[in-house]
Amino acid sequence: MYAYFSGMMNWVFVILTAIGLAVFAAKGDGEGAMTALAEGTGGALQLTLELAGPFMLWSGLFKVAEKAGLTESLSRLMRKPLSLLMPDLGDAAAPVSLNLAANFFGLGNAATPFGIEAVRRLDRGDGRASDSMAMFIALNASAVELLPTSVIAVRAACGSADPYGIVVPTFIASLAAAFAAVVSAKLLGKVIK
Amino acid sequence: MKWSTLAIPVLVAVLLVYALVKKVNVYKAFIEGVGESLRSLVSLLPYLAAMLTAISLLKGSGALSFFTGLISPIAEKVGVKAPLVPLIALRPFSGSGALAMLKEILSEYGADSPVGREASVIVGSTETVFYTVSVYFGAVGVTKTRQAVPAAIISGLVGTAVGLVLA
């Protein structure tokens, strides 16, 4: 199911890497290329370590919230407003709201299986996206997230005096993105059959 | 936004007490969550390694600054600072790539600089649009995706624009 995507990333990765290497080669700077290559993977390990602290903290706390039933109450709360956005929601209501709730709490990995279950239940097997399915996917592509934990972690690692200072503008901007997703999915759905 | 530094400890304390009242084994749940996050971190590392290798080559060779220089006159006309251009271009394709690019920007310009704040808000308020769309449509084999892709792209552009204004 990741075939479309990994095919696309395959091209992105090869083209970006080849451009970089070609420019190094054109300059005759083989040493620079070797340094850049080593910095890439070494930097990835360092970045993972920097992300680890805050990510572990928030994942632990989110699990506590989940066990306390907070994600479930959120998904119950969302059922009504969601059926306004997706008229033929049907039995997809549960996975749709669990997916959006998991995204909201920053649990991207937990969200994906619910999302896949949701599109399966919205699918009518005709190879064509229904209005509700298009709405769900457009909404998923706009990240309404309570705490952008990885951004906060990178900010803290880079010596920010106020790593959390971007939480409020980020939340408002993501709400605007979700609103735009809803409006454009509704309007474009009338034009694109 | 100094109040946010106070809001988080208060929210966390409320959450822990609430969970205790709900008879959750808070300690066990916390450990379970941390354990799961370690697995995600380990699976994230190879993606970061691939993207950082590509970005590091583009940066080191000067190809990135050439591209940025080419685009920046147009970008700055619409209020986008030059260092943000490659970030905005990469964001819809790769979450790990955007995160790696964010780190580059923050270490070069400072996390609390205007560019640093704008970059942080953009990464936080947008999604990997093309990844999301391909995973979900790929899962059910839907090829007539209709309004989903344009709506997702419009949503990403609006998130970016509002983020730039608010950051």
Side-chain angles (χ1 to χ4, degrees):
Chain A
M1 80 190 146
Y2 292 93
Y4 293 170
F5 183 71
S6 70
M8 186 164 63
M9 281 312 289
N10 189 19
W11 284 96
V12 172
F13 177 67
V14 172
I15 289 170
L16 293 184
T17 309
I19 291 174
L21 288 170
V23 176
F24 269 119
K27 287 179 167 174
D29 186 5
E31 219 166 282
M34 288 316 294
T35 314
L37 281 171
E39 273 173 3
T41 43
L45 186 58
Q46 197 190 339
L47 181 55
T48 306
L49 288 177
E50 286 166 0
L51 286 172
F55 191 56
M56 284 158 72
L57 169 69
W58 290 109
S59 304
L61 292 174
F62 285 135
K63 186 55 94 181
V64 175
E66 195 191 320
K67 297 259 162 152
L70 287 174
T71 40
E72 234 189 275
S73 7
L74 185 77
S75 78
R76 260 201 307 277
L77 258 169
M78 292 195 316
R79 196 173 290 242
K80 265 256 155 62
L82 280 180
S83 57
L84 289 177
L85 296 179
M86 300 169 221
D88 43 343
L89 192 58
D91 65 346
V96 165
S97 38
L98 284 171
N99 165 273
L100 295 176
N103 271 324
F104 184 75
F105 287 111
L107 303 163
N109 290 319
T112 308
F114 291 130
I116 288 170
E117 184 58 32
V119 284
R120 284 215 176 107
R121 291 193 191 180
L122 289 169
D123 185 36
R124 293 164 307 193
D126 56 358
R128 179 178 172 277
S130 65
D131 282 335
S132 295
M133 189 195 281
M135 175 66 77
F136 172 69
I137 288 172
L139 259 182
N140 242 280
S142 65
V144 182
E145 204 181 317
L146 192 59
L147 266 185
T149 45
S150 48
V151 173
I152 293 166
V154 174
R155 289 177 58 77
C158 291
S160 169
D162 186 12
Y164 289 87
I166 48 87
V167 169
V168 174
T170 303
F171 188 65
I172 299 170
S174 68
L175 281 182
F179 182 72
V182 169
V183 171
S184 49
K186 278 274 181 218
L187 292 180
L188 291 172
K190 293 193 186 6
V191 187
I192 309 170
K193 289 295 170 188
Chain B
M1 294 272 171
K2 274 287 163 262
W3 68 265
S4 60
T5 53
L6 197 69
I8 285 159
V10 171
L11 275 176
V12 171
V14 169
L15 166 69
L16 295 183
V17 173
Y18 175 80
L20 203 64
V21 171
K22 286 267 166 180
K23 297 196 166 53
V24 173
N25 187 332
V26 177
Y27 175 69
K28 216 176 124 196
F30 185 80
I31 285 173
E32 197 185 322
V34 174
E36 282 174 16
S37 76
L38 281 180
R39 276 189 289 282
S40 328
L41 278 169
V42 170
S43 59
L44 175 68
L45 179 58
Y47 293 91
L48 280 175
M51 287 320 297
L52 269 167
T53 300
I55 292 171
S56 169
L57 284 170
L58 285 177
K59 256 194 90 167
S61 65
L64 189 65
S65 52
F66 177 75
F67 169 75
T68 315
L70 220 60
I71 302 281
S72 63
I74 311 158
E76 295 202 348
K77 273 212 178 94
V78 291
V80 178
K81 297 185 180 75
L84 299 176
V85 172
L87 176 72
I88 295 171
L90 190 61
R91 183 66 184 119
F93 294 97
S94 165
S96 43
L99 219 49
M101 193 75 91
L102 175 68
K103 203 203 159 190
E104 295 286 330
I105 293 174
L106 295 190
S107 29
E108 196 163 335
Y109 300 91
D112 299 319
S113 66
V115 179
R117 286 183 60 91
E118 285 174 10
S120 308
V121 173
I122 290 172
V123 174
S125 64
T126 52
E127 255 292 351
T128 45
V129 169
F130 295 118
Y131 172 80
T132 308
V133 166
S134 36
V135 167
Y136 287 151
F137 280 131
V140 283
V142 164
T143 47
K144 285 194 90 172
T145 58
R146 297 181 60 223
Q147 75 268 40
V149 179
I153 292 171
I154 291 170
S155 150
L157 289 174
V158 169
T160 306
V162 175
L164 281 174
V165 173
L166 294 179

